[in-house]
Amino acid sequence: MTASDDPRRREVLDRRIRGFHGVGVDDVLAVVDYLCEPGDTVLAGGSLTFGLGNRLSDFDVVICGDDTARSLVPLQHWVQTLRVDVWTRPRADIDTLFGLAAQALARPEPIAGAFGSIEQEQQLKLLHRVAFGLCLSGPPLVPATVPDFRAVARDLVAREYAERLRESLWVAQLAARAGRWLTAVVNAREAVEEAFTIVLTRRGVPFTGDKWLHDRLREHAPDLGEACRRYAALPTAADECAAYVADAVALAGRLTGVPTGVAELGRQARWTAPDLHLTSAGDTALLVSPRMGVLCELSDVEAKAWRALAGRAEAGAYDAAETDLCLRLYEQGLLTLGWATGVGA
């Protein structure tokens, strides 16, 4: 795609930012031109490019060329009152990024962490800016490492959110069984929103992060409007919470096909706590996290449960006391969940 291939989309974008800030696409290009070399591609991405956002939204630009230096953080510019965040990448980086994404999709391991040290949310967004962004100038940007780069961008987001969904589903159900209703309903709502993201992505809607989810549903999935309203408010009474969780789990499974069974998920789940250590002060059992700078006092039952967990991997095999302790520590950010394989692997 070149700037002249989709004039309607460019006109809509130009009209949108002019309405908010009194400047247009050409004004943005003039300000960032010093970063460009002949033959470079300039892409617009982010919420404003997809008809979302408001006057407080920043305008995302990706500049890519054969010899472009990589910016580890966006280079911030102002065009009147419009903030423009510019990401610069050499073409080889884009090729590598899509190649890594394709490799991650082909492996059985979970997607989380598949890209090493680069923050994952930014990677997901960069993939979609390249795959679905609007080319403002220069030649089309077509990654050479994969035959269908848009499919890779789409599938990576769907897989990432399916793995987030799996965790939300499992925690919601465990917490409901333990009567930890706040944790249960919060994770149930997360599960529904993650399921909505998967549905939108599978329908070809470009990824824009979570904050514009409801706007995307109104435009691209009006059939899910009633479900969206159903889960907008969290219940408080125990019986309402139980129904909320059960309904959310059923809906998420039906929309996505991600397994929802507690036993099935438990066989894949792994609680991880690399820096938690049990110690004592007199008769008091303490759980210590040097990384978090935290001391947790444990009851005798909890201390016994913690000792019993040593060397056991499969979280689904824990008894009620062990699971309840893990949930409490998870709520406090002291435990994380890992998974034996990725979703669908």
Side-chain angles (χ1 to χ4, degrees), residues 8 12 16 47 49-53 200 203 205-206 208 212-225:
R8 187 194 63 81
V12 170
R16 187 168 183 78
S47 56
T49 307
F50 298 119
L52 303 166
L200 289 170
R203 293 183 183 183
V205 180
T208 54
W212 303 112
L213 176 60
H214 291 183
D215 300 83
R216 309 249 79 179
L217 288 171
R218 279 196 297 271
E219 181 178 358
H220 300 283
D223 52 307
L224 297 179

Side-chain angles (χ1 to χ4, degrees), residues 37 53 85-86 90 109 145 161 167 231 255 270 280 319 321 327:
E37 296 292 338
D85 284 345
V86 182
E109 293 83 10
T145 48
Y161 272 78
E167 181 164 332
Y231 297 98
L255 289 176
R270 306 287 187 267
S280 61
D319 66 21
L327 281 171

Side-chain angles (χ1 to χ4, degrees), residues 27-88:
D27 299 302
V28 172
L29 289 174
V31 168
V32 304
D33 182 67
Y34 78 98
L35 292 168
C36 300
E37 296 292 338
D40 284 0
T41 298
V42 181
L43 293 171
S47 56
L48 289 171
T49 307
F50 298 119
L52 303 166
N54 51 45
R55 66 179 61 255
L56 298 178
S57 300
D58 58 286
F59 185 43
D60 295 313
V61 171
V62 178
I63 296 176
C64 183
D66 292 336
D67 301 312
T68 304
R70 177 199 295 178
S71 57
L72 296 178
V73 295
L75 307 174
Q76 189 177 108
H77 301 70
W78 288 92
V79 184
Q80 300 290 0
T81 56
L82 174 64
R83 195 183 90 185
V84 180
D85 284 345
V86 182
W87 300 86
T88 59

